[in-house]
Amino acid sequence: MGKIVAICMSTKKGIQKQEIEEISLIENFGLEGDAHCGDWHRQVSLLSYESIENFKEKGAEVDFGSFGENLIVQGIDFPSLSVGKRISGENFELEVTQIGKECHTRCSIYTKMGDCIMPREGVFAKVIKGGHIKKNDKIEIKE
């Protein structure tokens, strides 16, 4: 069992996402108003809180949303999941569609640190069941 530590979104692609307190997940679409929502396989991006904290310990000056992630979750090891795994909360369900991503250009984090965790540790999902989510909501892997 994990919990949502932060929710981030942006209305434009290519800019850092900003932290918000709550938002609606729309079935087969993504986070309401987010630039990356739509009818495709990467509707929601997730990154573990622990991954971000470990990266900060290496000297990275990053905030929630710096990696373009929508949900920062404490207590779940996302890179260990497999495609097709379901993640759920009280009133929503996501399906993992991709683990990591190929970065075609080096982001500012990589340029500064010589590394970026999103290509290895980020997870992408589509919304199977929509619902309203907020910071500190519980989240778990469905068996």
Side-chain angles (χ1 to χ4, degrees), residues 75-120:
I76 296 178
D77 180 23
F78 288 116
S80 71
L81 299 180
S82 57
V83 170
K85 204 64 157 161
R86 299 282 176 108
I87 303 168
S88 65
E90 185 177 329
N91 62 1
F92 72 91
E93 186 170 327
L94 307 174
E95 180 181 322
V96 175
T97 56
Q98 184 176 328
I99 308 293
K101 71 172 193 161
E102 182 180 346
C103 287
H104 300 287
T105 59
R106 301 290 188 201
C107 67
S108 61
I109 296 169
Y110 186 94
T111 302
K112 186 172 183 179
M113 293 295 298
D115 189 21
C116 180
I117 57 176
M118 196 64 177
R120 293 184 310 276

Side-chain angles (χ1 to χ4, degrees), residues 23-82:
I23 197 165
S24 290
L25 284 169
I26 301 170
E27 186 174 320
N28 242 356
F29 197 68
L31 274 78
E32 185 175 39
D34 187 68
H36 291 93
C37 63
D39 186 15
W40 71 317
H41 72 289
R42 288 175 25 187
Q43 296 170 352
V44 180
S45 58
L46 302 98
L47 195 56
S48 78
Y49 171 79
E50 292 82 359
S51 292
I52 294 170
E53 290 303 305
N54 288 339
F55 201 57
K56 283 181 176 181
E57 286 177 12
K58 295 177 181 176
E61 295 177 15
V62 293
D63 296 316
F64 294 147
S66 292
F67 299 95
E69 74 280 15
N70 294 121
L71 302 180
I72 295 94
V73 177
Q74 185 175 26
I76 296 178
D77 180 23
F78 288 116
S80 71
L81 299 180
S82 57

Side-chain angles (χ1 to χ4, degrees), residues 2-21:
K3 79 171 182 177
I4 298 173
V5 174
I7 303 167
C8 302
M9 62 94 59
S10 64
T11 56
K12 293 181 181 179
K13 291 182 180 182
I15 63 170
Q16 181 173 324
K17 294 187 183 296
Q18 299 299 309
E19 191 174 350
I20 57 174
E21 291 296 313

